[in-house]
Amino acid sequence: MANVEESRPFLPSQKSDSNNEMKPTKPSSSNSGEIPAPWAAAEPVRPASSAVSMGWTAEGLPMGHSVGTAVVGEPVMRRAQWESSLCSCFGKNDEFASSDFEVCLLGTLAPCVLYGSNAERIGSSPGSFTNHCLPYTGLFLIGQSFFGWNCMAPWFSYPSRTAIRQRFNLEGNCEAVTRSCGCHGGFVEDEERREHCESTCDFLTHIFCHPCALCQEGRELRRRLPHPGFNAKPVRFMMPPGDQTMGR
């Protein structure tokens, strides 16, 4: 051990010198009136990391900005448009053109059948056609017999429009009117108030434009959902082998 210490005689002295250099020098009592040297002053405390991650709001402003209460995150996704408008009686000139013409005929001559078909598609259950078509037919006959027009069935059928709009995140009539007029009121931003307003618009649409509303819903569903009867699993069967003869 003595030989190792003698071979490295400067290590203890270097360590002690470095410790002395790290300690700040204090002014002596004799030089109290003099200004200390700049290298003797204590260095200011610096933060651990100078690069701070800055978040951004949806409006393009930094998170520390004091203008209002901004929502941080992705922008709100806009609602989709209907495939056809309310007054497009014959639909669109595409691969569903023949289906749109069928929907127009059913909505004009047999709205109970069209409503049952729409309810069956959105319900995805084969038995829902009868459960919706028969009550609609009864209300249709009551309205035609006592009031002269179909004023009872829309009270029963308008929730289907609300279900279609919510399922596919479609734009409602009230929101479409405010967007076309350029009016962005607070009720559109409030989800609860907006949904209440849209449900009222769905009811009014079925009351005053009932055949057109049924046809629009039928065109939308036939483009988005297949008929539940087409979702049956294929049946596999084995073909018997043909006549076989033994060779001699």
Side-chain angles (χ1 to χ4, degrees):
M1 295 294 293
N3 296 332
V4 175
E5 293 178 356
E6 291 177 358
S7 62
R8 299 179 182 180
F10 296 104
L11 287 178
S13 61
Q14 290 178 357
K15 184 176 181 181
S16 60
D17 294 341
S18 62
N19 293 335
N20 295 333
E21 290 177 2
M22 293 178 63
K23 294 181 180 180
T25 58
K26 296 182 181 180
S28 60
S29 58
S30 60
N31 299 332
S32 58
E34 298 178 359
I35 300 175
W39 56 82
E43 297 182 358
V45 180
R46 297 180 181 179
S49 60
S50 58
V52 181
S53 60
M54 177 68 69
W56 299 92
T57 63
E59 299 177 354
L61 300 176
M63 291 179 61
H65 205 271
S66 61
V67 179
T69 57
V71 179
V72 180
E74 298 180 356
V76 179
M77 182 178 59
R78 297 190 61 179
R79 292 171 179 82
Q81 302 290 330
W82 292 75
E83 293 291 338
S84 59
S85 62
L86 184 65
C87 299
S88 299
C89 300
F90 295 101
K92 300 168 65 177
N93 189 15
D94 54 5
E95 64 271 15
F96 294 93
S98 59
S99 178
D100 294 342
F101 184 72
E102 178 189 356
V103 167
C104 182
L105 291 179
L106 289 176
T108 305
L109 303 177
C112 57
V113 178
L114 179 59
Y115 173 71
S117 177
N118 294 345
E120 188 177 17
R121 285 178 182 269
I122 195 172
S124 299
S125 56
S128 58
F129 176 82
T130 305
N131 298 334
H132 289 81
C133 182
L134 292 180
Y136 184 95
T137 304
L139 294 174
F140 177 82
L141 294 176
I142 292 174
Q144 292 288 347
S145 303
F146 292 95
F147 302 99
W149 65 294
N150 186 16
C151 61
M152 300 295 295
W155 292 76
F156 177 72
S157 62
Y158 88 91
S160 63
R161 186 176 185 86
T162 304
I164 295 171
R165 181 174 49 78
Q166 292 177 351
R167 179 168 182 176
F168 302 112
N169 194 26
L170 298 176
E171 188 180 47
N173 295 333
C174 187
E175 187 176 357
V177 170
T178 55
R179 179 179 55 81
S180 60
C181 297
C183 303
H184 300 280
F187 73 95
V188 178
E189 300 176 359
D190 189 359
E191 186 69 22
E192 184 177 357
R193 295 178 61 187
R194 185 196 64 81
E195 186 59 34
H196 181 71
C197 179
E198 295 296 352
S199 300
T200 305
C201 290
D202 294 339
F203 171 72
L204 295 177
T205 303
H206 268 255
I207 288 291
F208 296 105
C209 305
H210 184 62
C212 297
L214 286 180
C215 292
Q216 185 187 25
E217 296 163 11
R219 293 190 298 267
E220 192 74 23
L221 288 174
R222 297 192 180 203
R223 282 171 168 80
R224 292 180 180 269
L225 295 176
H227 195 274
F230 298 155
N231 294 334
K233 296 181 179 180
V235 180
R236 297 181 180 180
F237 59 93
M238 299 293 294
M239 294 293 295
D243 296 338
Q244 297 181 359
T245 58
M246 296 181 62
R248 294 182 181 178

